[in-house]
Amino acid sequence: MGLELYLDLLSQPCRAVYIFAKKNGIPFELRTVELLKGQHVSKGFLPANSPQMVPVLKDGDFVLHQSVAILIYLSSKYQTADHWYPPDLQARARIHEYLGWHADFIRGTFGVCLWTKVLAPLIGVQVPEEKVKRNRAAVDRALQLLEDQFLGDKAFLTSQRVTLADLMALEELMQVVALGDDVFEGRPRLAAWRGRVEAVLGADLCQETHGPILNILEQAANKQLPQIPPEAHPRMLLRISRIP
């Protein structure tokens, strides 16, 4: 069995992995795990002994979790273009610096809008308005830091060429855009950065990958989303309770 990737393109990290593999011509078998159907908590959809989350990489008997680890593994195994994950120690350190900051300030913040606007209502929960406002303020602060601390006057976040850092960041920002808040409006530096990243990736790949999340609000409004199974509710309620 060759390389298998267990993904749901509603997930930002899954989209980053999918785009990277497709852009670099990496051969893989896509194993779709539909989070809204609770497949990640059901037996038979993920490799044995996997945590109940995606993305997951399976390469023969080797199983790997966490998007950053998967991206680095793919870039190393398939010897992708150096600009994604450069061999230079200091260039790599800049990518790791961003990814550490990303985990602290972006990852848990930019995904909240999907919970407040789609996932929580699907199980009959309304997130308090003060939490929604607090999250939007946190998004604004993170966007300003992203511009000032990382992008600056460079073409991309850590250098003059696109890297894994840009891919991870783009997918988080696109999550907020898809949920009805254009975070690029009024931020010309970030908007230009997005244009450069998408030009590297290609319009067709971006449209293919972003299609599911860009349709999520319309599907929710038209009640076209699947019913989330009860066994997934406790984990979802825990996540909702942790929204600051």
Side-chain angles (χ1 to χ4, degrees):
M1 183 66 70
L3 180 71
E4 300 171 77
L5 295 175
Y6 294 77
L7 309 172
D8 184 334
L9 296 184
L10 292 181
S11 155
Q12 308 94 297
C14 287
R15 292 198 301 270
V17 169
Y18 182 82
I19 287 174
F20 184 77
K22 294 281 281 190
K23 177 63 183 175
N24 287 285
I26 296 171
F28 68 94
E29 183 78 26
L30 176 62
R31 303 292 189 191
T32 299
V33 180
E34 295 189 60
L35 299 176
L36 292 183
K37 293 183 179 179
Q39 291 179 350
H40 57 304
V41 297
S42 302
K43 290 182 179 179
F45 288 97
L46 290 172
N49 301 317
S50 292
Q52 295 174 332
M53 61 181 66
V54 287
V56 178
L57 173 151
K58 189 172 187 293
D59 192 4
D61 293 331
F62 179 70
V63 177
L64 187 64
H65 314 108
Q66 300 297 329
S67 54
V68 171
I70 291 171
L71 289 169
I72 292 173
Y73 178 84
L74 292 175
S75 69
S76 300
K77 174 168 180 174
Y78 293 95
Q79 299 181 328
T80 58
D82 283 349
H83 64 82
W84 289 109
Y85 190 60
D88 179 76
L89 176 64
Q90 293 184 359
R92 281 191 177 185
R94 288 299 181 204
I95 294 173
H96 292 167
E97 178 184 40
Y98 171 76
L99 292 173
W101 181 84
H102 178 100
D104 289 338
F105 292 92
I106 296 287
R107 182 71 191 104
T109 301
F110 283 59
V112 167
C113 56
L114 181 63
W115 287 90
T116 60
K117 294 184 178 183
V118 177
L119 300 181
L122 274 179
I123 59 172
V125 175
Q126 183 170 353
V127 177
E129 185 60 28
E130 59 266 27
K131 287 194 172 190
V132 175
K133 290 180 179 178
R134 210 156 39 231
N135 174 254
R136 190 60 185 84
V139 167
D140 284 337
R141 289 193 298 271
L143 288 169
Q144 196 62 52
L145 285 170
L146 186 66
E147 283 192 289
D148 296 341
Q149 186 173 326
F150 292 99
L151 182 57
D153 58 1
K154 300 189 299 300
F156 299 98
L157 292 181
T158 67
S159 71
Q160 295 299 337
R161 300 195 69 187
V162 69
T163 72
L164 300 181
D166 299 284
L167 189 50
M168 291 291 289
L170 177 66
E171 291 314 306
E172 292 290 342
L173 271 62
M174 287 304 300
Q175 195 83 347
V176 185
V177 171
L179 271 297
D181 187 355
D182 188 353
V183 294
F184 297 103
E185 186 177 351
R187 295 184 179 273
R189 279 191 297 166
L190 272 184
W193 163 80
R194 173 191 175 181
R196 289 189 290 270
V197 176
E198 290 185 338
V200 171
L201 300 177
D204 290 345
L205 179 55
C206 289
Q207 289 170 8
E208 173 194 347
T209 309
H210 296 147
I213 192 64
L214 289 173
N215 291 327
I216 194 76
L217 282 181
E218 182 180 353
Q219 287 182 297
N222 293 331
K223 301 189 184 303
Q224 295 173 332
L225 296 175
Q227 264 198 329
I228 296 176
E231 57 267 28
H233 289 198
R235 186 170 179 154
M236 293 180 67
L237 289 169
L238 179 62
R239 175 63 183 89
I240 293 167
S241 72
R242 289 176 174 170
I243 297 174

